[in-house]
C-alpha cells in the first residue's frame, strides 16, 4: 500500500506526466499534488465541478447505475484525466499529461494501479 505522496510520485513517472493531484470532490480541495502546485490545486477544484456535473448528467439520463471510470479532457497540447476512486469514495485522481509524449491507454492503466495501491 502507498500513501498519498508516494502515489503522486508514482503518477509522475507516467510517460508525459506534467502533474498529478489527489482531490476531494466533496470539498473541492486537493489532498496532495505533484508538479506545478498552484495549477494543480486550481485543476483539482475545477475537476470537482466536472466530476459532479458528469455524475449528475448520468443520473438525469438514467445511467446512474453505471460506474464512472474516468473523464478525459482533451486539449490541443494536453490530456487531463480525472479518475474517481472506487476504493476511496469522494476522492479522485487528476492527471495532467503532455499529449505528444503520453500514451493515454497506458496512463489509464497506471491510474488504475495507483488507485489499487493507494492508502489514505
Amino acid at each position: 500500500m502507498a500513501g498519498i505522496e508516494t502515489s503522486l510520485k508514482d503518477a509522475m513517472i507516467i510517460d508525459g506526466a506534467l502533474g498529478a493531484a489527489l482531490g476531494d470532490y466533496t470539498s473541492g480541495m486537493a489532498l496532495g499534488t505533484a508538479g506545478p502546485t498552484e495549477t494543480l490545486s486550481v485543476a483539482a477544484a475545477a475537476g470537482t465541478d466536472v466530476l459532479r456535473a458528469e455524475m449528475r448528467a448520468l443520473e438525469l439520463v438514467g445511467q446512474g447505475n453505471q460506474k464512472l471510470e474516468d473523464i478525459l479532457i482533451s486539449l490541443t497540447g494536453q490530456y487531463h484525466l480525472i479518475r474517481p476512486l472506487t476504493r476511496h469514495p469522494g476522492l479522485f485522481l487528476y492527471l495532467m499529461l503532455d499529449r505528444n509524449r503520453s500514451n493515454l491507454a497506458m496512463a489509464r492503466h497506471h491510474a488504475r494501479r495507483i488507485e489499487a495501491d493507494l492508502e489514505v
Side-chain angles (χ1 to χ4, degrees):
M1 291 295 167
I4 294 171
E5 186 176 327
T6 302
S7 294
L8 292 173
K9 284 180 182 176
D10 191 22
M12 293 303 291
I13 66 169
I14 296 171
D15 287 340
L18 300 171
L22 181 65
D24 176 351
Y25 68 79
T26 57
S27 70
M29 303 290 289
L31 302 179
T33 60
T37 305
E38 199 169 298
T39 301
L40 285 162
S41 292
V42 172
T48 296
D49 291 338
V50 171
L51 194 51
R52 286 178 183 161
E54 182 60 25
M55 292 175 138
R56 180 73 177 129
L58 287 172
E59 287 176 19
L60 290 173
V61 298
Q63 297 295 312
N65 61 332
Q66 294 289 316
K67 180 180 169 255
L68 179 61
E69 286 187 28
D70 54 45
I71 298 169
L72 174 65
I73 301 169
S74 299
L75 305 174
T76 55
Q78 295 179 0
Y79 291 127
H80 291 210
L81 188 67
I82 303 169
R83 181 177 179 81
L85 304 183
T86 305
R87 289 189 57 233
H88 303 286
L91 300 182
F92 64 94
L93 182 63
Y94 192 103
L95 299 174
M96 290 174 49
L97 306 165
D98 181 300
R99 191 171 177 150
N100 295 320
R101 296 183 311 129
S102 63
N103 176 321
L104 189 54
M106 287 302 294
R108 292 180 76 220
H109 175 72
H110 203 103
R112 280 191 298 274
R113 191 179 54 71
I114 290 169
E115 176 183 3
D117 292 343
L118 178 66
E119 189 64 43
V120 178

